[in-house]
């Protein structure tokens, strides 16, 4: 396999070889935002589910 680069002097001429280069930071921020929203939503849903299962049960001290 030949990359076409024979010396290191041509290295600054090499550009990104994938689509949407330079978008790594926005994509990482969107992913982080999605994760935070998903985690918050999941915690709310689990709290509602546990409240539905347990209800207003309060344990009284042993007599």
């Amino acid at each position: 396999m030949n990359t076409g680069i024979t010396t290191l002097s041509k290295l600054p001429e090499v550009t990104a070889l994938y689509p949407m280069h330079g978008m790594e930071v926005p994509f990482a921020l969107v992913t982080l935002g999605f994760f935070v929203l998903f985690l918050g939503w999941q915690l709310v849903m689990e709290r509602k589910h546990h409240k539905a299962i347990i209800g207003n049960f309060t344990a009284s001290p042993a007599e």
Side-chain angles (χ1 to χ4, degrees), residues 1 5-6 10 12-13 15 17 20 22 24 27 30-31 37 40 42 47 55-57 61-63:
M1 180 180 225
I5 298 175
T6 56
K10 292 185 179 181
E13 297 173 9
T15 60
L17 299 175
M20 294 189 285
E24 293 86 359
F27 284 148
V30 167
T31 303
L37 289 174
Q42 198 68 20
R47 187 176 304 136
N56 291 327
F57 176 75
E63 296 178 356

Side-chain angles (χ1 to χ4, degrees), residues 11-26:
L11 196 57
E13 297 173 9
V14 177
T15 60
L17 299 175
Y18 53 92
M20 294 189 285
H21 64 283
M23 296 293 292
E24 293 86 359
V25 173

Side-chain angles (χ1 to χ4, degrees), residues 19-50:
M20 294 189 285
H21 64 283
M23 296 293 292
E24 293 86 359
V25 173
F27 284 148
L29 292 176
V30 167
T31 303
L32 181 64
F34 174 77
F35 175 73
V36 169
L37 289 174
F38 175 78
L39 187 62
W41 177 65
Q42 198 68 20
L43 289 172
V44 168
M45 295 295 287
E46 287 186 18
R47 187 176 304 136
K48 286 181 183 178
H49 180 70
H50 286 253

